[in-house]
Structures are given as structure tokens and as C-alpha cells.
Amino acid sequence: MSQPDFDDPDLPLAELFAAWPDMAGAFMDKRMLCPGCLIAPFHSITDACLEYDLDEDAFRAELLARTRR
């Protein structure tokens, strides 16, 4: 199975966490409950940022940095 596209705006959080488990830490650091949430298969990064009132561009940059570790 190929790696999902991180830049896909519709990428479900559940797929994001499955492909890059370390990214869950970025969500937890911001006290976001997305890892393990029942809605994770349906929500995207955009949805989570709207829900938690985060700057999406800044949060995506933080997540992207974790993919390069």
C-alpha cells in the first residue's frame, strides 16, 4: 500500500495517524483529542484546526516537520 498524500486536504486523520504515528504527538501537545477519536476517520487536518481554533498553515508546518524526523 502506498503512503497517503499529506497535502490532500481531505486526508482523514485516522489515515494520517496510521501512516505517520509520530504525528499524534503534535495533536496531543496541543491537547487535541483527535488521536483515538471516533470522528478521526471522517475529519481532516482542516476540520481539526477549525474545531480547535488553530492556524492551519502553522499546524501543517509543524506536522510536516515531524514527517522529516
Side-chain angles (χ1 to χ4, degrees):
M1 182 177 211
S2 65
Q3 192 85 333
D5 179 10
F6 176 78
D7 294 320
D8 177 359
D10 297 320
L11 178 65
L13 293 176
E15 290 182 31
L16 178 90
F17 298 138
W20 298 283
D22 290 343
M23 284 195 189
F27 286 79
M28 302 295 277
D29 289 348
K30 297 202 178 302
R31 300 187 184 272
M32 298 169 79
L33 303 175
C34 303
C37 177
L38 296 175
I39 303 300
F42 309 103
H43 269 187
S44 66
I45 294 170
T46 300
D47 297 324
C49 288
L50 287 171
E51 188 70 29
Y52 285 93
D53 196 29
L54 296 176
D55 179 280
E56 183 178 352
D57 292 331
F59 189 58
R60 281 185 175 274
E62 185 178 332
L63 293 173
L64 191 57
R66 287 184 184 246
T67 66
R68 298 193 173 141
R69 287 185 182 178

